[in-house]
Amino acid sequence: MGILSELLMGIEAEAIVASLKPYPITKKAATKQNLFSLLFRSSKELSRLRNLKDLHLHLHFEGSIPKEVGLLSSLELPTLGDNMLHGSIPSALGTLQHLKQLNLNNNQLNGSIPPSLCTLPFLENLELNDSESEGTIPSCLGNFTHIHQLSLNGNELVGSIPPTLGNLSALQCLSLIFNHLGGSIPQELGRLHSLESLYRIDNDLLGNFSFSTFSNLSKLTESPFLITLT
């Protein structure tokens, strides 16, 4: 039985968890270079995944994320980190209205963060660390009402920190380190009353870090995770 068949068996369990380790790689089996594309190669196969909620593919799978991923209408928890995925982040991810988490850490993606992600009503965690994302941080990311963690570390992001991030009332962790962000730190971030962790290193921000901006955030000022290097 091939790897793809094994993945698609028992799909009513609503989860796929796969890495390379459990599977012998042979010429007849799907290899790390094509397993990802095989999983999404046809709408017929995608129709079998209509109940899929959890998708965990990791350990150096290659390929791009196809736009057909938008057909996985029940998807809640995709974890595609620690792979070698390339290409852009498809706008179709914004159609997955049940999405609670999106983890694309440690990939080789390019292009900007699609504004379509801003339409996800239940997103709680957005992690794009070391994914090689480019461009600016979309101001519409401030639309999230349930997000707890926003991590965009180690990318090629430029521009300023959008003041709209101050609207993220449920945000607990904000990490923007190792980018090329400029401008000043928005005073609006002082409204993040749920914030517990703020990581801000190695950007091109202007001015000194001011505790006065965050002085009324008791959860943050009492946290050991506040990093203030400038």
Side-chain angles (χ1 to χ4, degrees), residues 46-64:
L46 281 170
S47 68
R48 299 178 62 184
L49 303 176
R50 61 184 179 276
N51 296 321
L52 185 67
K53 293 184 178 181
D54 296 357
L55 176 62
H56 302 277
L57 298 178
H58 55 94
L59 291 179
H60 307 297
F61 291 120
E62 296 183 5
S64 60

Side-chain angles (χ1 to χ4, degrees), residues 30-200:
T31 67
K32 65 180 182 180
Q33 283 79 14
N34 61 24
L35 173 59
F36 198 79
S37 60
L38 279 174
L39 185 60
F40 297 104
R41 67 181 176 181
S42 74
S43 58
K44 180 179 179 180
E45 287 167 353
L46 281 170
S47 68
R48 299 178 62 184
L49 303 176
R50 61 184 179 276
N51 296 321
L52 185 67
K53 293 184 178 181
D54 296 357
L55 176 62
H56 302 277
L57 298 178
H58 55 94
L59 291 179
H60 307 297
F61 291 120
E62 296 183 5
S64 60
I65 305 174
K67 64 182 181 180
E68 287 81 8
V69 71
L71 298 176
L72 304 178
S73 57
S74 298
L75 196 62
E76 296 180 2
L77 302 171
T79 300
L80 305 177
D82 300 312
N83 289 299
M84 293 184 287
L85 302 178
H86 54 78
S88 60
I89 301 173
S91 297
L93 287 170
T95 66
L96 302 177
Q97 295 296 291
H98 297 286
L99 213 63
K100 296 180 179 179
Q101 169 186 295
L102 180 58
N103 181 338
L104 297 175
N105 293 338
N106 300 309
N107 278 292
Q108 300 171 2
L109 302 169
N110 55 48
S112 59
I113 300 172
S116 64
L117 297 183
C118 302
T119 65
L120 299 171
F122 302 112
L123 195 68
E124 298 177 358
N125 293 297
L126 179 58
E127 301 178 54
L128 304 179
N129 301 324
D130 299 305
S131 63
E132 303 189 15
S133 295
E134 305 166 341
T136 60
I137 300 175
S139 60
C140 63
L141 292 184
N143 296 343
F144 293 126
T145 56
H146 298 284
I147 197 163
H148 297 153
Q149 178 173 347
L150 178 60
S151 297
L152 307 176
N153 304 336
N155 290 296
E156 300 295 327
L157 298 173
V158 297
S160 59
I161 300 174
T164 53
L165 296 188
N167 298 332
L168 303 177
S169 58
L171 192 66
Q172 297 175 358
C173 177
L174 175 62
S175 189
L176 305 174
I177 65 177
F178 303 119
N179 283 289
H180 305 288
L181 300 172
S184 59
I185 301 172
Q187 295 295 311
E188 288 82 356
L189 297 187
R191 302 200 303 257
L192 300 176
H193 294 286
S194 298
L195 199 64
E196 299 177 0
S197 306
L198 172 64
Y199 298 87
R200 188 191 64 84

